[in-house]
Amino acid sequence: MLDVSLLYVEDDLFIRNMLVNILSKNVREIHTAENGLEGFMMYEKLRPDIVLTDIRMPIMDGLEMAAKIKALKKDAPIIVTTAYGDTENLLRAIDIGIDSYVLKPIDKNKLLRSFKRYADEIELTKRLQEQENATVTIQALLRAAIEQSPSGILVFDAPTGNIRIANAAALSIRGETNAKLTNISMIEQPEKWNFFHADGRRYKYYELPQSLAIMNGSTVKDVEMIIKRDSGEIRWVIASAAPVMDSKNNIVASILILQDITERRSLADQLHQAQKMEAVGQLTGGIAHDFNNILTAIIGYGSLTKNNLSPDDQNRLYLDQILNAAEKASVLTKSLLAFSRKQILSPKQVNLNDIILGTERLLSRLIGEDIQLRMDLHNEDIMVFVDPGQIEQVIMNLATNARDAMPEGGTLTVATSLSPIKERGFEGVKPDKIYALLRITDTGVGMDEMTLNRIFEPFFTTKEKGKGTGLGLAMVYGIIKQHNGYIFVSSYRTKGTDFRIYIPLVSKTFTEAKDNERDENDIPYGTETVLLAEDSEDVRAITKEILLNHGYKVIEAIDGEEAIIKFKANKEDIDLLLFDVIMPKKNGKDAYEQIRKLKPDIKAIFTSGYATEILSKRNMLEEGINFLPKPVSPNILLRKIREVLDRDK
Ligand code: ADP
Ligand code: MG
């Protein structure tokens, strides 16, 4: 049985019935008509697969009908039955485009063979059509999948390297539009897509994963690359490439898949960076603290010895050298303490703009004549609670670096404004909290990634020996952190560098700690009794020595607990507590609190090598507690003691 429908047009009823009878066993569907007109109308309605028609018929003959059908459907299969020798009609049929005839009387098998030929053709066409439909669907699917993919996808023709497809994600990584970036050859214009190695080298065409796929048929997986946007911004991607083969295993294209990992990377970087800074901070903080105690002893004993020498003693010179060196060491220690956020701050409520204006003259002198200084300050006061000296230090350190980065001159801009933290993906930042933003920008040589990653580390410097200490930015970092601020930097090679510092705005007024400046030579004496608690033996000994030399009586304690015991034993005699803050067993602050319960108006001075949690809590500053940062020079100590003892409660 053939899976076709047949329209059979024949005016002779006898022949028609006979053939229908024979064919109905072999053909799925048979319709009949008596003349050309009826046949044509049925064709229009039913669209049978095959038409079989007699030629001579009333009303409309078979060939006329065939012509009309061909006009409807050019390749409609039409078979005519014709009598032997009817040449005239045969020629007409050829004109009309009929390609099949059966001679009368009809041979059933011959007829069925031509049906079969048509049936096969019809089947084939149907299958081809189905296949084509499927291909179109698959293509549409693939196109949609590529276009919608969140990963960047690029398809390159082989062997030309011409970019055939770049999906939206790929274009957005590159930060450009379609027109510029497709239909260009990667061989001729490899720079168009700006691929760089992780170390900053530009990719050569033959190094690119997609080129390897085209040239060697190799598959490349998970390479970290950089794509640079025209703005200079860089995006980190993980790239994989594979060749595309045709059925004969020829490489016809390669496909490159890009995953943008810039944000993820910067978060991981920040975490890593923060951990590193924390660890280095701990270490330097610890060293600096112990170092301070040692310096206190050196400066103390040195000063005492100097005081004991006669004015014309030769050794005075040597002692001055020792004290100078110790002074330098103490400056170094201070920067380390600044970095490790262990400095004692004297914060005040101030207008940030005033601090900056106060540094203007110093700044212009520092940067020299070739560099232009631009001040772009917010037009209203920006009130912050900071240690002005420390913020000045920050500005000076940044300006010094900017100067070094602009040996040929340029512009240094110092700007202030109010702004939320705009840098994205930074943890622990409230998105809409407004900060004071201090921005210091230069037009200097800029930095590469490798340098950028390390600039805040203490002792990291790219400057030659003697020129850089590598402590400038470490201090800046520590100071800003200690002020609960944030610091960000962006820098582009040859374009310049932009430091952005966010400092919390003032919400509360704090009392200012007063510093009395007095004449250097006016060293005060006293007769009062001081309870000295200090765990470092060196520092205790030298402090005791200084106090005794200046008339005071001293009771010593080696930790907080002993201080309480000694106080209880000498309650009436003791006029002043001189406590180190960090001591074993009981810290200075706790010991003081306990003693204050016994004698509420007891006076106290604290010394410390660093501001610990206990100290940095603002409540202590509010109470107007007396602090002396270590190393304490004897004169400052003696003056502070006098000042506190003479102050009425
Ligand atoms: P130092 O200035 O002693 O080298 P810093 O901690 O101040 O130490 O700076 C560390 C490094 O950071 C510098 O050696 C320099 O490579 C880089 N750097 C800092 N600021 C800038 C800047 N504005 N432009 C270019 N490079 C800078
Ligand atoms: Mg510096």
Short mmCIF file of all heavy atoms in Angstrom, two decimals, residues 347-396:
data_model
loop_
_atom_site.label_atom_id
_atom_site.label_comp_id
_atom_site.label_asym_id
_atom_site.label_seq_id
_atom_site.Cartn_x
_atom_site.Cartn_y
_atom_site.Cartn_z
N PRO A 347 42.02 62.94 69.78
CA PRO A 347 41.03 63.41 68.81
C PRO A 347 40.30 64.66 69.29
O PRO A 347 40.10 64.86 70.48
CB PRO A 347 40.07 62.23 68.70
CG PRO A 347 40.28 61.42 69.92
CD PRO A 347 41.59 61.77 70.53
N LYS A 348 39.95 65.48 68.35
CA LYS A 348 39.18 66.70 68.62
C LYS A 348 38.11 66.81 67.56
O LYS A 348 38.25 66.25 66.48
CB LYS A 348 40.07 67.94 68.47
CG LYS A 348 41.23 68.05 69.39
CD LYS A 348 41.96 69.36 69.05
CE LYS A 348 43.07 69.69 70.00
NZ LYS A 348 44.09 68.62 70.09
N GLN A 349 37.11 67.59 67.90
CA GLN A 349 36.12 67.88 66.88
C GLN A 349 36.64 69.04 66.04
O GLN A 349 36.85 70.13 66.55
CB GLN A 349 34.80 68.24 67.54
CG GLN A 349 33.73 68.50 66.52
CD GLN A 349 32.40 68.68 67.18
OE1 GLN A 349 32.07 67.97 68.12
NE2 GLN A 349 31.63 69.64 66.70
N VAL A 350 36.89 68.79 64.78
CA VAL A 350 37.46 69.84 63.93
C VAL A 350 36.82 69.82 62.54
O VAL A 350 36.20 68.84 62.14
CB VAL A 350 38.98 69.64 63.71
CG1 VAL A 350 39.77 70.16 64.87
CG2 VAL A 350 39.31 68.21 63.40
N ASN A 351 37.03 70.93 61.84
CA ASN A 351 36.60 71.03 60.46
C ASN A 351 37.74 70.50 59.58
O ASN A 351 38.85 71.03 59.60
CB ASN A 351 36.30 72.49 60.15
CG ASN A 351 35.95 72.70 58.68
OD1 ASN A 351 35.83 71.75 57.91
ND2 ASN A 351 35.79 73.96 58.30
N LEU A 352 37.45 69.45 58.85
CA LEU A 352 38.48 68.81 58.01
C LEU A 352 39.12 69.84 57.07
O LEU A 352 40.33 69.83 56.84
CB LEU A 352 37.84 67.67 57.20
CG LEU A 352 38.77 66.88 56.29
CD1 LEU A 352 39.88 66.20 57.07
CD2 LEU A 352 37.98 65.83 55.49
N ASN A 353 38.30 70.76 56.54
CA ASN A 353 38.84 71.78 55.64
C ASN A 353 39.90 72.63 56.33
O ASN A 353 40.88 73.03 55.71
CB ASN A 353 37.71 72.69 55.13
CG ASN A 353 36.79 71.95 54.18
OD1 ASN A 353 37.21 70.94 53.59
ND2 ASN A 353 35.56 72.42 54.04
N ASP A 354 39.69 72.92 57.63
CA ASP A 354 40.67 73.73 58.36
C ASP A 354 42.01 73.00 58.45
O ASP A 354 43.07 73.61 58.31
CB ASP A 354 40.17 74.04 59.77
CG ASP A 354 39.03 75.06 59.74
OD1 ASP A 354 38.87 75.70 58.67
OD2 ASP A 354 38.32 75.19 60.75
N ILE A 355 41.95 71.69 58.70
CA ILE A 355 43.20 70.93 58.79
C ILE A 355 43.95 71.05 57.47
O ILE A 355 45.15 71.30 57.43
CB ILE A 355 42.93 69.44 59.08
CG1 ILE A 355 42.20 69.27 60.40
CG2 ILE A 355 44.24 68.66 59.07
CD1 ILE A 355 41.94 67.82 60.78
N ILE A 356 43.20 70.92 56.38
CA ILE A 356 43.85 70.95 55.06
C ILE A 356 44.42 72.33 54.76
O ILE A 356 45.56 72.47 54.33
CB ILE A 356 42.86 70.49 53.99
CG1 ILE A 356 42.62 69.00 54.20
CG2 ILE A 356 43.41 70.74 52.59
CD1 ILE A 356 41.40 68.48 53.54
N LEU A 357 43.62 73.36 55.05
CA LEU A 357 44.12 74.72 54.82
C LEU A 357 45.38 74.96 55.65
O LEU A 357 46.31 75.63 55.20
CB LEU A 357 43.03 75.74 55.16
CG LEU A 357 41.89 75.76 54.14
CD1 LEU A 357 40.75 76.65 54.61
CD2 LEU A 357 42.42 76.21 52.77
N GLY A 358 45.39 74.39 56.85
CA GLY A 358 46.57 74.55 57.72
C GLY A 358 47.82 73.94 57.13
O GLY A 358 48.94 74.33 57.47
N THR A 359 47.67 72.97 56.24
CA THR A 359 48.86 72.31 55.69
C THR A 359 49.26 72.93 54.35
O THR A 359 50.27 72.54 53.78
CB THR A 359 48.61 70.81 55.42
OG1 THR A 359 47.60 70.69 54.42
CG2 THR A 359 48.19 70.08 56.66
N GLU A 360 48.47 73.89 53.86
CA GLU A 360 48.67 74.37 52.49
C GLU A 360 50.09 74.87 52.23
O GLU A 360 50.73 74.48 51.25
CB GLU A 360 47.65 75.46 52.17
CG GLU A 360 47.65 75.81 50.69
CD GLU A 360 46.47 76.69 50.31
OE1 GLU A 360 45.63 77.01 51.17
OE2 GLU A 360 46.40 77.07 49.12
N ARG A 361 50.57 75.73 53.15
CA ARG A 361 51.90 76.31 52.91
C ARG A 361 52.99 75.25 52.91
O ARG A 361 53.86 75.22 52.05
CB ARG A 361 52.20 77.37 53.96
CG ARG A 361 51.59 78.71 53.61
CD ARG A 361 52.01 79.78 54.55
NE ARG A 361 53.46 79.84 54.74
CZ ARG A 361 54.05 80.52 55.73
NH1 ARG A 361 53.33 81.17 56.60
NH2 ARG A 361 55.37 80.53 55.83
N LEU A 362 52.84 74.35 53.88
CA LEU A 362 53.82 73.27 53.99
C LEU A 362 53.78 72.40 52.73
O LEU A 362 54.81 72.00 52.19
CB LEU A 362 53.46 72.43 55.22
CG LEU A 362 54.58 71.66 55.88
CD1 LEU A 362 55.70 72.60 56.27
CD2 LEU A 362 54.04 70.93 57.11
N LEU A 363 52.56 72.14 52.28
CA LEU A 363 52.37 71.31 51.09
C LEU A 363 53.05 71.92 49.88
O LEU A 363 53.79 71.24 49.18
CB LEU A 363 50.88 71.16 50.78
CG LEU A 363 50.14 70.00 51.42
CD1 LEU A 363 48.72 69.94 50.87
CD2 LEU A 363 50.87 68.69 51.12
N SER A 364 52.79 73.22 49.63
CA SER A 364 53.38 73.79 48.41
C SER A 364 54.89 73.79 48.50
O SER A 364 55.58 73.60 47.50
CB SER A 364 52.85 75.18 48.08
OG SER A 364 52.18 75.73 49.15
N ARG A 365 55.41 73.98 49.72
CA ARG A 365 56.86 73.93 49.84
C ARG A 365 57.36 72.51 49.55
O ARG A 365 58.37 72.31 48.89
CB ARG A 365 57.30 74.40 51.22
CG ARG A 365 58.66 75.02 51.13
CD ARG A 365 59.14 75.69 52.41
NE ARG A 365 58.10 76.22 53.28
CZ ARG A 365 58.10 76.03 54.60
NH1 ARG A 365 59.04 75.29 55.17
NH2 ARG A 365 57.16 76.57 55.35
N LEU A 366 56.61 71.53 50.05
CA LEU A 366 57.02 70.13 49.90
C LEU A 366 57.05 69.69 48.43
O LEU A 366 57.99 69.03 47.99
CB LEU A 366 56.04 69.23 50.67
CG LEU A 366 56.20 67.73 50.52
CD1 LEU A 366 57.24 67.23 51.50
CD2 LEU A 366 54.89 67.01 50.76
N ILE A 367 56.03 70.10 47.67
CA ILE A 367 55.94 69.56 46.31
C ILE A 367 56.77 70.33 45.29
O ILE A 367 57.02 69.84 44.20
CB ILE A 367 54.47 69.49 45.82
CG1 ILE A 367 53.84 70.87 45.83
CG2 ILE A 367 53.67 68.52 46.65
CD1 ILE A 367 52.42 70.87 45.30
N GLY A 368 57.22 71.53 45.66
CA GLY A 368 58.10 72.26 44.77
C GLY A 368 57.35 73.02 43.70
O GLY A 368 56.11 72.99 43.65
N GLU A 369 58.11 73.67 42.81
CA GLU A 369 57.48 74.62 41.89
C GLU A 369 56.91 73.96 40.64
O GLU A 369 56.03 74.50 39.98
CB GLU A 369 58.50 75.67 41.46
CG GLU A 369 58.70 76.70 42.56
CD GLU A 369 59.81 77.68 42.23
OE1 GLU A 369 60.44 77.53 41.16
OE2 GLU A 369 60.04 78.57 43.06
N ASP A 370 57.44 72.78 40.28
CA ASP A 370 56.99 72.15 39.04
C ASP A 370 55.62 71.50 39.17
O ASP A 370 54.99 71.15 38.18
CB ASP A 370 57.99 71.07 38.60
CG ASP A 370 59.29 71.71 38.17
OD1 ASP A 370 59.25 72.91 37.85
OD2 ASP A 370 60.33 71.02 38.19
N ILE A 371 55.20 71.31 40.41
CA ILE A 371 53.91 70.66 40.62
C ILE A 371 52.90 71.70 41.09
O ILE A 371 53.16 72.48 42.00
CB ILE A 371 54.04 69.53 41.66
CG1 ILE A 371 54.99 68.45 41.12
CG2 ILE A 371 52.67 68.93 41.97
CD1 ILE A 371 55.36 67.41 42.14
N GLN A 372 51.76 71.67 40.42
CA GLN A 372 50.71 72.63 40.76
C GLN A 372 49.84 72.03 41.86
O GLN A 372 49.46 70.86 41.79
CB GLN A 372 49.87 72.88 39.51
CG GLN A 372 49.11 74.17 39.55
CD GLN A 372 47.99 74.16 38.53
OE1 GLN A 372 48.06 73.45 37.53
NE2 GLN A 372 46.95 74.92 38.81
N LEU A 373 49.53 72.83 42.87
CA LEU A 373 48.67 72.36 43.95
C LEU A 373 47.27 72.91 43.75
O LEU A 373 47.07 74.11 43.64
CB LEU A 373 49.22 72.83 45.30
CG LEU A 373 48.35 72.50 46.52
CD1 LEU A 373 48.23 70.99 46.70
CD2 LEU A 373 48.92 73.14 47.77
N ARG A 374 46.30 71.98 43.65
CA ARG A 374 44.91 72.43 43.52
C ARG A 374 44.13 72.04 44.75
O ARG A 374 44.18 70.90 45.20
CB ARG A 374 44.26 71.76 42.30
CG ARG A 374 44.29 72.63 41.06
CD ARG A 374 43.43 72.02 39.97
NE ARG A 374 42.09 71.66 40.45
CZ ARG A 374 41.32 70.75 39.86
NH1 ARG A 374 41.76 70.09 38.81
NH2 ARG A 374 40.12 70.49 40.33
N MET A 375 43.43 72.99 45.35
CA MET A 375 42.61 72.70 46.51
C MET A 375 41.17 72.80 46.07
O MET A 375 40.75 73.80 45.48
CB MET A 375 42.86 73.74 47.60
CG MET A 375 44.25 73.66 48.19
SD MET A 375 44.25 72.43 49.51
CE MET A 375 45.76 72.87 50.32
N ASP A 376 40.41 71.78 46.35
CA ASP A 376 39.01 71.78 45.92
C ASP A 376 38.18 71.37 47.14
O ASP A 376 37.78 70.22 47.27
CB ASP A 376 38.87 70.79 44.76
CG ASP A 376 37.48 70.81 44.17
OD1 ASP A 376 36.67 71.68 44.59
OD2 ASP A 376 37.20 69.96 43.31
N LEU A 377 37.96 72.34 48.03
CA LEU A 377 37.36 72.00 49.32
C LEU A 377 35.85 72.23 49.31
O LEU A 377 35.36 73.17 48.69
CB LEU A 377 38.00 72.82 50.43
CG LEU A 377 39.53 72.69 50.53
CD1 LEU A 377 40.07 73.48 51.71
CD2 LEU A 377 39.96 71.23 50.63
N HIS A 378 35.16 71.36 50.00
CA HIS A 378 33.71 71.47 50.14
C HIS A 378 33.37 72.84 50.71
O HIS A 378 34.07 73.34 51.59
CB HIS A 378 33.24 70.37 51.10
CG HIS A 378 31.77 70.21 51.15
ND1 HIS A 378 31.02 69.86 50.06
CD2 HIS A 378 30.91 70.34 52.18
CE1 HIS A 378 29.76 69.77 50.42
NE2 HIS A 378 29.66 70.06 51.70
N ASN A 379 32.27 73.44 50.22
CA ASN A 379 32.01 74.83 50.63
C ASN A 379 31.42 74.99 52.03
O ASN A 379 31.24 76.09 52.51
CB ASN A 379 31.14 75.53 49.58
CG ASN A 379 29.88 74.73 49.31
OD1 ASN A 379 29.57 73.79 50.07
ND2 ASN A 379 29.16 75.06 48.27
N GLU A 380 31.14 73.87 52.69
CA GLU A 380 30.70 73.98 54.08
C GLU A 380 31.68 73.26 54.99
O GLU A 380 32.48 72.47 54.52
CB GLU A 380 29.32 73.33 54.24
CG GLU A 380 28.18 74.16 53.71
CD GLU A 380 26.91 73.32 53.61
OE1 GLU A 380 26.72 72.44 54.48
OE2 GLU A 380 26.15 73.52 52.65
N ASP A 381 31.57 73.54 56.30
CA ASP A 381 32.43 72.84 57.25
C ASP A 381 32.16 71.34 57.20
O ASP A 381 31.02 70.91 57.02
CB ASP A 381 32.16 73.32 58.68
CG ASP A 381 32.66 74.74 58.87
OD1 ASP A 381 33.27 75.28 57.91
OD2 ASP A 381 32.45 75.30 59.97
N ILE A 382 33.23 70.57 57.33
CA ILE A 382 33.07 69.11 57.42
C ILE A 382 33.58 68.70 58.78
O ILE A 382 34.78 68.62 59.02
CB ILE A 382 33.88 68.40 56.31
CG1 ILE A 382 33.35 68.82 54.93
CG2 ILE A 382 33.80 66.91 56.48
CD1 ILE A 382 34.04 68.14 53.78
N MET A 383 32.65 68.49 59.72
CA MET A 383 33.09 68.23 61.09
C MET A 383 33.41 66.76 61.31
O MET A 383 32.61 65.88 61.04
CB MET A 383 32.00 68.68 62.08
CG MET A 383 31.71 70.18 62.02
SD MET A 383 33.20 71.22 62.00
CE MET A 383 33.76 71.00 63.70
N VAL A 384 34.63 66.54 61.77
CA VAL A 384 35.06 65.17 62.04
C VAL A 384 35.71 65.13 63.42
O VAL A 384 36.12 66.17 63.95
CB VAL A 384 36.09 64.68 60.98
CG1 VAL A 384 35.39 64.36 59.68
CG2 VAL A 384 37.18 65.71 60.77
N PHE A 385 35.79 63.96 64.00
CA PHE A 385 36.41 63.79 65.30
C PHE A 385 37.73 63.06 65.09
O PHE A 385 37.77 61.84 65.00
CB PHE A 385 35.48 62.99 66.22
CG PHE A 385 35.96 62.91 67.63
CD1 PHE A 385 35.99 64.04 68.44
CD2 PHE A 385 36.37 61.69 68.17
CE1 PHE A 385 36.42 63.97 69.75
CE2 PHE A 385 36.81 61.61 69.49
CZ PHE A 385 36.84 62.75 70.27
N VAL A 386 38.78 63.85 64.90
CA VAL A 386 40.06 63.23 64.53
C VAL A 386 41.20 63.86 65.30
O VAL A 386 41.05 64.92 65.91
CB VAL A 386 40.35 63.42 63.02
CG1 VAL A 386 39.31 62.73 62.17
CG2 VAL A 386 40.44 64.90 62.66
N ASP A 387 42.32 63.20 65.24
CA ASP A 387 43.55 63.77 65.77
C ASP A 387 44.15 64.60 64.63
O ASP A 387 44.66 64.04 63.66
CB ASP A 387 44.49 62.63 66.17
CG ASP A 387 45.76 63.15 66.83
OD1 ASP A 387 46.21 64.25 66.46
OD2 ASP A 387 46.28 62.45 67.72
N PRO A 388 44.08 65.92 64.72
CA PRO A 388 44.49 66.75 63.58
C PRO A 388 45.93 66.48 63.15
O PRO A 388 46.22 66.43 61.96
CB PRO A 388 44.35 68.18 64.10
CG PRO A 388 43.44 68.08 65.27
CD PRO A 388 43.65 66.73 65.86
N GLY A 389 46.79 66.27 64.12
CA GLY A 389 48.20 66.00 63.80
C GLY A 389 48.33 64.75 62.94
O GLY A 389 49.11 64.70 61.98
N GLN A 390 47.53 63.74 63.26
CA GLN A 390 47.60 62.49 62.51
C GLN A 390 47.07 62.67 61.09
O GLN A 390 47.62 62.12 60.15
CB GLN A 390 46.79 61.40 63.22
CG GLN A 390 47.28 61.08 64.62
CD GLN A 390 48.64 60.43 64.58
OE1 GLN A 390 48.90 59.57 63.77
NE2 GLN A 390 49.53 60.86 65.48
N ILE A 391 46.00 63.44 60.96
CA ILE A 391 45.45 63.66 59.62
C ILE A 391 46.43 64.48 58.78
O ILE A 391 46.62 64.23 57.59
CB ILE A 391 44.06 64.33 59.70
CG1 ILE A 391 43.09 63.43 60.47
CG2 ILE A 391 43.50 64.62 58.30
CD1 ILE A 391 42.91 62.03 59.89
N GLU A 392 47.08 65.46 59.43
CA GLU A 392 48.12 66.20 58.71
C GLU A 392 49.20 65.24 58.22
O GLU A 392 49.69 65.34 57.09
CB GLU A 392 48.77 67.24 59.63
CG GLU A 392 47.98 68.52 59.73
CD GLU A 392 48.43 69.39 60.88
OE1 GLU A 392 49.55 69.17 61.42
OE2 GLU A 392 47.67 70.29 61.26
N GLN A 393 49.55 64.32 59.10
CA GLN A 393 50.56 63.33 58.74
C GLN A 393 50.13 62.55 57.50
O GLN A 393 50.91 62.32 56.59
CB GLN A 393 50.75 62.36 59.92
CG GLN A 393 51.81 61.32 59.70
CD GLN A 393 53.19 61.86 59.99
OE1 GLN A 393 53.49 62.27 61.09
NE2 GLN A 393 54.04 61.89 58.97
N VAL A 394 48.87 62.16 57.47
CA VAL A 394 48.32 61.42 56.33
C VAL A 394 48.49 62.25 55.05
O VAL A 394 49.00 61.76 54.03
CB VAL A 394 46.83 61.10 56.55
CG1 VAL A 394 46.16 60.67 55.25
CG2 VAL A 394 46.69 60.01 57.61
N ILE A 395 48.09 63.52 55.13
CA ILE A 395 48.16 64.37 53.94
C ILE A 395 49.62 64.53 53.49
O ILE A 395 49.93 64.42 52.30
CB ILE A 395 47.53 65.75 54.24
CG1 ILE A 395 46.05 65.55 54.57
CG2 ILE A 395 47.70 66.69 53.06
CD1 ILE A 395 45.39 66.78 55.15
N MET A 396 50.51 64.75 54.45
CA MET A 396 51.91 64.95 54.09
C MET A 396 52.49 63.69 53.45
O MET A 396 53.21 63.77 52.45
CB MET A 396 52.76 65.32 55.32
CG MET A 396 52.40 66.63 55.99
SD MET A 396 52.03 67.98 54.86
CE MET A 396 53.62 68.47 54.38
#
